[in-house]
Amino acid sequence: MTDQSSQFPRFYVTAASPCPYLPDLMERKVFTELNGQNPDGLHDSLTQVGFRRSQDIVYRPTCETCNRCISVRIPVQKFTANRTQKRILKYNNDVKVSVIPNRVTDEQYDLLRLYLKERHPEGGMAEMSPDEYREMVESSPVHTHLVEYRLPAEGSGEKGRLIGVALTDELKDGLSMVYSFFDTDESMLKRSLGTFAIMSHIALAREHFLGYIYLGYWVKNSPKMAYKQNFKPLELLGPGGWTLKR
């Protein structure tokens, strides 16, 4: 007799913890491991119903009194850049965008530390060690890559200054942006590197005939999530499936 329990994922629920997006609320997550014979297939299927990956698990919120975390994605063939986004693309025309294997470097970690110190000094990742960064990037049972963003090299045979990194999963129908960080120096503000990273992923998806960029969760009235509304059209995941945001 076949042990069917080994063929289907087992789901678990975390204990309640403070919500990172809305004050005075608690969150819980349901999660499962990405293991078995076809982790990529499981990842694809669960992404379609709102799960996100972190190392070798996928999770989604399952809060008892709140359902404001909504999965969102950009339908790349319908997307049209607005005036601001076109200006950002033009301003970053000199940036070299490279898709590379998900292997860490000291240069990446140094940039991450500066980013966390400036943007998220009290966040859960603020004291991330080099080994923890390596786990985040390299402990992936699915197809994953890094995207590096560099300024022009000053000399031949040299690499330009690293100003951004994105950890990205490859799905059957799109790209899922797991985590990104960038140079927060005042000289970089006009580049809007967070927006540029998303725009570059839209270009990569179009180049490889992929349909969507998965941006994780959007929470109405959360300042941390407001930037996602700038990409239009945007699809939201609801009880009836994916629909365009109105």
Side-chain angles (χ1 to χ4, degrees):
M1 180 178 296
T2 302
D3 180 8
Q4 295 189 357
S5 65
S6 64
Q7 300 179 23
F8 299 96
R10 295 183 179 183
F11 292 90
Y12 307 89
V13 178
T14 65
S17 61
C19 176
Y21 306 123
L22 297 172
D24 304 320
L25 292 178
M26 302 295 286
E27 71 163 359
R28 297 169 70 96
K29 296 186 180 79
V30 59
F31 69 94
T32 189
E33 295 178 317
L34 284 173
N35 52 26
Q37 297 181 350
N38 186 16
D40 281 292
L42 179 61
H43 186 214
D44 277 322
S45 297
L46 292 178
T47 297
Q48 293 302 315
V49 292
F51 280 75
R52 293 283 288 169
R53 186 184 70 81
S54 176
Q55 297 182 30
D56 60 351
I57 68 167
V58 285
Y59 66 90
R60 64 170 294 173
T62 181
C63 305
E64 296 177 355
T65 60
C66 178
N67 59 358
R68 281 178 275 185
C69 284
I70 301 174
S71 295
V72 293
R73 68 185 186 184
I74 303 169
V76 300
Q77 299 305 325
K78 297 179 181 178
F79 172 78
T80 302
N82 60 31
R83 180 183 300 178
T84 298
Q85 291 162 344
K86 289 178 181 178
R87 185 171 65 247
I88 291 170
L89 284 174
K90 184 177 180 179
Y91 198 85
N92 287 287
N93 190 50
D94 61 333
V95 174
K96 181 180 180 181
V97 181
S98 301
V99 178
I100 63 173
N102 56 318
R103 296 292 180 265
V104 305
T105 64
D106 291 340
E107 187 182 22
Q108 294 167 11
Y109 178 71
D110 290 343
L111 180 61
L112 173 66
R113 291 288 295 163
L114 292 173
Y115 171 79
L116 292 174
K117 181 180 180 181
E118 180 67 26
R119 292 295 181 91
H120 306 287
E122 298 178 357
M125 296 174 61
E127 300 301 323
M128 177 176 283
S129 69
D131 287 341
E132 288 171 331
Y133 175 60
R134 185 178 300 277
E135 282 290 312
M136 182 179 79
V137 172
E138 297 185 1
S139 293
S140 173
V142 299
H143 287 90
T144 301
H145 61 250
L146 289 171
V147 182
E148 285 191 343
Y149 302 88
R150 293 182 180 275
L151 294 181
E154 296 182 358
S156 60
E158 296 181 3
K159 287 185 176 181
R161 174 182 163 193
L162 182 68
I163 59 171
V165 179
L167 177 64
T168 303
D169 287 344
E170 304 165 24
L171 301 169
K172 183 182 296 185
D173 68 346
L175 300 173
S176 176
M177 298 185 68
V178 178
Y179 191 76
S180 60
F181 54 94
F182 45 85
D183 193 329
T184 58
D185 187 83
E186 188 172 348
S187 64
M188 293 289 115
L189 293 181
K190 289 184 178 180
R191 290 186 178 272
S192 298
L193 292 173
T195 295
F196 178 63
I198 296 174
M199 298 292 292
S200 71
H201 277 70
I202 292 172
L204 287 170
R206 285 175 171 168
E207 181 181 342
H208 292 89
F209 304 100
L210 298 172
Y212 303 97
I213 302 297
Y214 290 84
L215 295 179
Y217 302 114
W218 171 72
V219 182
K220 187 177 181 180
N221 299 326
S222 171
K224 294 180 181 180
M225 300 294 188
Y227 71 92
K228 298 181 182 182
Q229 299 178 86
N230 297 329
F231 295 88
K232 298 177 181 180
L234 192 66
E235 291 189 1
L236 280 61
L237 180 61
W242 294 93
T243 57
L244 289 175
K245 183 181 183 300
R246 296 181 179 180

